[in-house]
Amino acid sequence: MNDNTNLKEIDTKVLWDLFITFFKIGAFTIGGGLAMLPVIEREIVDKKGYIDKEEIIDAFAVAQSLPGIISVNTAIYVGYRISGIIGSIVSTLGTVLPSFITILIIAILFPAVSGNIMVNKALTGVKAGVAAVIATSVISLGKRVIKNVFAVILTVVAFVLAAVFDFSIVFIILAGGLTGYIYYTLRRIKHDTP
Amino acid sequence: MTLLKLFYVFFKIGLVGFGGGYAMLTMIQKELEIQGWITAAEFSNIAAISQMTPGPIAINAATYVGYRVEGFWGSLLATFAVTLPSYILVILVLRFMMKVKESKWMESIMKGIRPVTVALIASAAIFFAYESFVDLSLPLFIDWGAFAIFALAFLASFRFKVDTILIIMLSAIAGMVIL
């Protein structure tokens, strides 16, 4: 990958497509930033091929380890990779607009807001659905990057630390990076020395 | 001037908010209460609404509170302010990464980070599972209705590659019908 070229030229059609795609992504990311991943994977990686699976994982790594809103971070990353600064502005606008419009309407129409049984049921259904599509993404992404025993160990340890012991995400990502650096550098040294 | 304060407070929230929506919740609430812009009751309402609408809590809070405090321009400004830190940081990090992407040491680090990220995403699935079909008050801890939705959704997406957005919409409808 070159450091200064975008994956796609700055082209109005691409930008518009980016906007629409991220608008869809933004509209269906309910319940938490990570729910965005399966939708992004399907829309951007599988359908449009703008970015490959490895890169989307990198986007998520960056998005989770930096402060700020995960879904916005991801949109900025992907948008920038595809079409530079303009791309990142367009993708962010797309992601933010659905919620901005929805909440604005709610704020204008309803001075007091409250819950609703039907909505809660719909939401629980959505969360079950999201758990399922995330699981599918995990399997397809995992196949791509878990290719040796070392990666398997890293994955299992990271999962246990996160899901069971509730370790800080930033810590886990940094530890993973450090471990990877040590392991692969040592492996390279061993390989290179005759 | 309130607009300036609005910008400053939400910029701070966007900058310091770490770990995603739920971790940010307490921080956002404190900041807003200190300013006197929202009451605890109103905040828990907007947090609940945020669960039901697209968008993370930080953005929804910015839009809602911004509107309450300074109307449409307030909501626009607050929403912009909360996304700005992300903007600056991600682009800086990304430009750095793109420069060093070819280097072996960076590649080693990324090969460590990628499986770990997949594991973190998997733990997110666990989180959503807990919020839907895992219920510790029930026998065997499972809400079978919600589990059925999960199982069908998984089958649809993994085996039949059904469109992700379609699955989410159908899950919502299934939730209203089955649960």
Side-chain angles (χ1 to χ4, degrees), chain A residues 19 34 45 47 49 56 77 108 114 123 125 127 138 146 151 155 159 174-175:
Chain A
F19 177 77
L34 286 166
V45 179
K47 277 189 186 168
I56 210 72
Y77 186 109
I108 295 174
S114 58
L123 259 166
K127 288 174 191 173
V138 165
I146 302 177
T155 311
F159 181 77
L174 288 176

PDB file of all heavy atoms in Angstrom, chain A residues 19 34 45 47 49 56 77 108 114 123 125 127 138 146 151 155 159 174-175:
ATOM      1  N   PHE A  19     -21.280   8.109   0.949  1.00  0.00           N
ATOM      2  CA  PHE A  19     -22.238   8.762   1.824  1.00  0.00           C
ATOM      3  C   PHE A  19     -23.451   7.868   2.052  1.00  0.00           C
ATOM      4  O   PHE A  19     -23.876   7.626   3.183  1.00  0.00           O
ATOM      5  CB  PHE A  19     -22.679  10.097   1.227  1.00  0.00           C
ATOM      6  CG  PHE A  19     -23.728  10.794   2.049  1.00  0.00           C
ATOM      7  CD1 PHE A  19     -23.386  11.454   3.215  1.00  0.00           C
ATOM      8  CD2 PHE A  19     -25.071  10.758   1.673  1.00  0.00           C
ATOM      9  CE1 PHE A  19     -24.346  12.078   3.992  1.00  0.00           C
ATOM     10  CE2 PHE A  19     -26.036  11.385   2.442  1.00  0.00           C
ATOM     11  CZ  PHE A  19     -25.674  12.054   3.608  1.00  0.00           C
ATOM     12  N   LEU A  34     -19.862  -1.309  18.310  1.00  0.00           N
ATOM     13  CA  LEU A  34     -19.382  -2.555  17.730  1.00  0.00           C
ATOM     14  C   LEU A  34     -20.433  -3.245  16.866  1.00  0.00           C
ATOM     15  O   LEU A  34     -20.106  -4.114  16.074  1.00  0.00           O
ATOM     16  CB  LEU A  34     -18.872  -3.490  18.818  1.00  0.00           C
ATOM     17  CG  LEU A  34     -17.529  -2.999  19.346  1.00  0.00           C
ATOM     18  CD1 LEU A  34     -17.139  -3.684  20.631  1.00  0.00           C
ATOM     19  CD2 LEU A  34     -16.441  -3.215  18.311  1.00  0.00           C
ATOM     20  N   VAL A  45     -16.825  -4.179   2.628  1.00  0.00           N
ATOM     21  CA  VAL A  45     -15.869  -5.206   2.217  1.00  0.00           C
ATOM     22  C   VAL A  45     -16.480  -6.163   1.202  1.00  0.00           C
ATOM     23  O   VAL A  45     -15.983  -6.310   0.092  1.00  0.00           O
ATOM     24  CB  VAL A  45     -15.359  -6.004   3.439  1.00  0.00           C
ATOM     25  CG1 VAL A  45     -14.378  -7.073   2.993  1.00  0.00           C
ATOM     26  CG2 VAL A  45     -14.710  -5.090   4.432  1.00  0.00           C
ATOM     27  N   LYS A  47     -19.696  -6.282  -0.317  1.00  0.00           N
ATOM     28  CA  LYS A  47     -20.456  -5.795  -1.464  1.00  0.00           C
ATOM     29  C   LYS A  47     -19.651  -4.895  -2.377  1.00  0.00           C
ATOM     30  O   LYS A  47     -19.661  -5.034  -3.583  1.00  0.00           O
ATOM     31  CB  LYS A  47     -21.678  -5.018  -0.988  1.00  0.00           C
ATOM     32  CG  LYS A  47     -22.861  -5.885  -0.628  1.00  0.00           C
ATOM     33  CD  LYS A  47     -24.069  -4.991  -0.382  1.00  0.00           C
ATOM     34  CE  LYS A  47     -25.271  -5.753   0.130  1.00  0.00           C
ATOM     35  NZ  LYS A  47     -26.304  -4.848   0.623  1.00  0.00           N
ATOM     36  N   GLY A  49     -16.228  -3.987  -1.995  1.00  0.00           N
ATOM     37  CA  GLY A  49     -14.812  -4.279  -2.166  1.00  0.00           C
ATOM     38  C   GLY A  49     -13.911  -3.074  -2.054  1.00  0.00           C
ATOM     39  O   GLY A  49     -12.808  -3.055  -2.603  1.00  0.00           O
ATOM     40  N   ILE A  56     -10.191  -3.740   7.589  1.00  0.00           N
ATOM     41  CA  ILE A  56     -11.337  -3.393   8.416  1.00  0.00           C
ATOM     42  C   ILE A  56     -11.035  -3.753   9.870  1.00  0.00           C
ATOM     43  O   ILE A  56     -11.470  -3.073  10.810  1.00  0.00           O
ATOM     44  CB  ILE A  56     -12.637  -4.069   7.902  1.00  0.00           C
ATOM     45  CG1 ILE A  56     -13.832  -3.200   8.234  1.00  0.00           C
ATOM     46  CG2 ILE A  56     -12.882  -5.435   8.474  1.00  0.00           C
ATOM     47  CD1 ILE A  56     -13.897  -1.968   7.390  1.00  0.00           C
ATOM     48  N   TYR A  77     -11.827   6.505   9.698  1.00  0.00           N
ATOM     49  CA  TYR A  77     -10.743   5.670   9.202  1.00  0.00           C
ATOM     50  C   TYR A  77     -11.053   5.153   7.798  1.00  0.00           C
ATOM     51  O   TYR A  77     -10.279   5.338   6.856  1.00  0.00           O
ATOM     52  CB  TYR A  77     -10.532   4.492  10.167  1.00  0.00           C
ATOM     53  CG  TYR A  77      -9.331   3.620   9.857  1.00  0.00           C
ATOM     54  CD1 TYR A  77      -8.212   3.644  10.686  1.00  0.00           C
ATOM     55  CD2 TYR A  77      -9.328   2.758   8.766  1.00  0.00           C
ATOM     56  CE1 TYR A  77      -7.120   2.827  10.437  1.00  0.00           C
ATOM     57  CE2 TYR A  77      -8.234   1.948   8.496  1.00  0.00           C
ATOM     58  CZ  TYR A  77      -7.133   1.991   9.337  1.00  0.00           C
ATOM     59  OH  TYR A  77      -6.064   1.190   9.085  1.00  0.00           O
ATOM     60  N   ILE A 108     -37.652  17.913  19.308  1.00  0.00           N
ATOM     61  CA  ILE A 108     -38.613  18.958  18.945  1.00  0.00           C
ATOM     62  C   ILE A 108     -40.035  18.548  19.309  1.00  0.00           C
ATOM     63  O   ILE A 108     -40.803  19.339  19.843  1.00  0.00           O
ATOM     64  CB  ILE A 108     -38.533  19.262  17.430  1.00  0.00           C
ATOM     65  CG1 ILE A 108     -37.159  19.862  17.091  1.00  0.00           C
ATOM     66  CG2 ILE A 108     -39.639  20.210  17.020  1.00  0.00           C
ATOM     67  CD1 ILE A 108     -36.937  20.056  15.610  1.00  0.00           C
ATOM     68  N   SER A 114     -39.953   8.944  26.966  1.00  0.00           N
ATOM     69  CA  SER A 114     -40.006   7.753  27.821  1.00  0.00           C
ATOM     70  C   SER A 114     -39.995   6.478  26.993  1.00  0.00           C
ATOM     71  O   SER A 114     -40.091   6.515  25.776  1.00  0.00           O
ATOM     72  CB  SER A 114     -41.267   7.797  28.674  1.00  0.00           C
ATOM     73  OG  SER A 114     -42.390   7.866  27.836  1.00  0.00           O
ATOM     74  N   LEU A 123     -36.194  -3.943  20.366  1.00  0.00           N
ATOM     75  CA  LEU A 123     -34.788  -3.797  20.712  1.00  0.00           C
ATOM     76  C   LEU A 123     -34.132  -5.083  21.155  1.00  0.00           C
ATOM     77  O   LEU A 123     -33.001  -5.377  20.774  1.00  0.00           O
ATOM     78  CB  LEU A 123     -34.645  -2.796  21.851  1.00  0.00           C
ATOM     79  CG  LEU A 123     -34.206  -1.461  21.359  1.00  0.00           C
ATOM     80  CD1 LEU A 123     -34.409  -0.452  22.425  1.00  0.00           C
ATOM     81  CD2 LEU A 123     -32.738  -1.506  20.967  1.00  0.00           C
ATOM     82  N   GLY A 125     -35.029  -8.019  20.307  1.00  0.00           N
ATOM     83  CA  GLY A 125     -34.881  -8.791  19.082  1.00  0.00           C
ATOM     84  C   GLY A 125     -33.651  -8.333  18.314  1.00  0.00           C
ATOM     85  O   GLY A 125     -32.839  -9.153  17.866  1.00  0.00           O
ATOM     86  N   LYS A 127     -30.984  -6.876  19.429  1.00  0.00           N
ATOM     87  CA  LYS A 127     -29.745  -7.276  20.098  1.00  0.00           C
ATOM     88  C   LYS A 127     -29.418  -8.744  19.854  1.00  0.00           C
ATOM     89  O   LYS A 127     -28.251  -9.101  19.669  1.00  0.00           O
ATOM     90  CB  LYS A 127     -29.825  -6.985  21.593  1.00  0.00           C
ATOM     91  CG  LYS A 127     -29.747  -5.498  21.874  1.00  0.00           C
ATOM     92  CD  LYS A 127     -29.975  -5.183  23.342  1.00  0.00           C
ATOM     93  CE  LYS A 127     -30.150  -3.680  23.512  1.00  0.00           C
ATOM     94  NZ  LYS A 127     -30.542  -3.336  24.873  1.00  0.00           N
ATOM     95  N   VAL A 138     -17.147 -12.434  13.184  1.00  0.00           N
ATOM     96  CA  VAL A 138     -15.987 -12.938  13.920  1.00  0.00           C
ATOM     97  C   VAL A 138     -15.423 -14.161  13.218  1.00  0.00           C
ATOM     98  O   VAL A 138     -14.218 -14.291  13.040  1.00  0.00           O
ATOM     99  CB  VAL A 138     -16.370 -13.283  15.373  1.00  0.00           C
ATOM    100  CG1 VAL A 138     -15.298 -14.138  16.024  1.00  0.00           C
ATOM    101  CG2 VAL A 138     -16.569 -12.021  16.179  1.00  0.00           C
ATOM    102  N   ILE A 146      -6.368 -15.488  11.895  1.00  0.00           N
ATOM    103  CA  ILE A 146      -5.875 -16.445  12.875  1.00  0.00           C
ATOM    104  C   ILE A 146      -5.330 -17.627  12.099  1.00  0.00           C
ATOM    105  O   ILE A 146      -6.033 -18.566  11.777  1.00  0.00           O
ATOM    106  CB  ILE A 146      -6.991 -16.866  13.831  1.00  0.00           C
ATOM    107  CG1 ILE A 146      -7.539 -15.618  14.519  1.00  0.00           C
ATOM    108  CG2 ILE A 146      -6.463 -17.841  14.861  1.00  0.00           C
ATOM    109  CD1 ILE A 146      -8.697 -15.895  15.428  1.00  0.00           C
ATOM    110  N   ALA A 151      -1.329 -16.972  16.897  1.00  0.00           N
ATOM    111  CA  ALA A 151      -2.517 -16.136  16.771  1.00  0.00           C
ATOM    112  C   ALA A 151      -3.677 -16.733  17.557  1.00  0.00           C
ATOM    113  O   ALA A 151      -4.470 -16.012  18.165  1.00  0.00           O
ATOM    114  CB  ALA A 151      -2.896 -15.973  15.303  1.00  0.00           C
ATOM    115  N   THR A 155      -5.646 -14.883  20.528  1.00  0.00           N
ATOM    116  CA  THR A 155      -7.088 -14.675  20.463  1.00  0.00           C
ATOM    117  C   THR A 155      -7.763 -15.175  21.725  1.00  0.00           C
ATOM    118  O   THR A 155      -8.592 -14.479  22.314  1.00  0.00           O
ATOM    119  CB  THR A 155      -7.684 -15.425  19.257  1.00  0.00           C
ATOM    120  OG1 THR A 155      -6.903 -15.122  18.108  1.00  0.00           O
ATOM    121  CG2 THR A 155      -9.110 -15.004  19.019  1.00  0.00           C
ATOM    122  N   PHE A 159      -9.619 -12.869  24.446  1.00  0.00           N
ATOM    123  CA  PHE A 159     -11.041 -13.056  24.657  1.00  0.00           C
ATOM    124  C   PHE A 159     -11.354 -13.250  26.134  1.00  0.00           C
ATOM    125  O   PHE A 159     -12.280 -12.646  26.677  1.00  0.00           O
ATOM    126  CB  PHE A 159     -11.536 -14.255  23.840  1.00  0.00           C
ATOM    127  CG  PHE A 159     -12.998 -14.495  23.990  1.00  0.00           C
ATOM    128  CD1 PHE A 159     -13.917 -13.695  23.324  1.00  0.00           C
ATOM    129  CD2 PHE A 159     -13.474 -15.498  24.823  1.00  0.00           C
ATOM    130  CE1 PHE A 159     -15.274 -13.895  23.472  1.00  0.00           C
ATOM    131  CE2 PHE A 159     -14.833 -15.703  24.980  1.00  0.00           C
ATOM    132  CZ  PHE A 159     -15.738 -14.915  24.303  1.00  0.00           C
ATOM    133  N   LEU A 174      -2.763  -2.970  23.204  1.00  0.00           N
ATOM    134  CA  LEU A 174      -1.339  -2.664  23.307  1.00  0.00           C
ATOM    135  C   LEU A 174      -0.529  -3.918  23.610  1.00  0.00           C
ATOM    136  O   LEU A 174       0.524  -4.157  23.023  1.00  0.00           O
ATOM    137  CB  LEU A 174      -1.101  -1.617  24.404  1.00  0.00           C
ATOM    138  CG  LEU A 174      -1.560  -0.205  24.070  1.00  0.00           C
ATOM    139  CD1 LEU A 174      -1.363   0.736  25.247  1.00  0.00           C
ATOM    140  CD2 LEU A 174      -0.810   0.325  22.847  1.00  0.00           C
ATOM    141  N   ALA A 175      -1.069  -4.744  24.522  1.00  0.00           N
ATOM    142  CA  ALA A 175      -0.362  -5.986  24.867  1.00  0.00           C
ATOM    143  C   ALA A 175      -0.256  -6.882  23.644  1.00  0.00           C
ATOM    144  O   ALA A 175       0.786  -7.489  23.389  1.00  0.00           O
ATOM    145  CB  ALA A 175      -1.093  -6.706  26.003  1.00  0.00           C
TER     146      ALA A 175
END
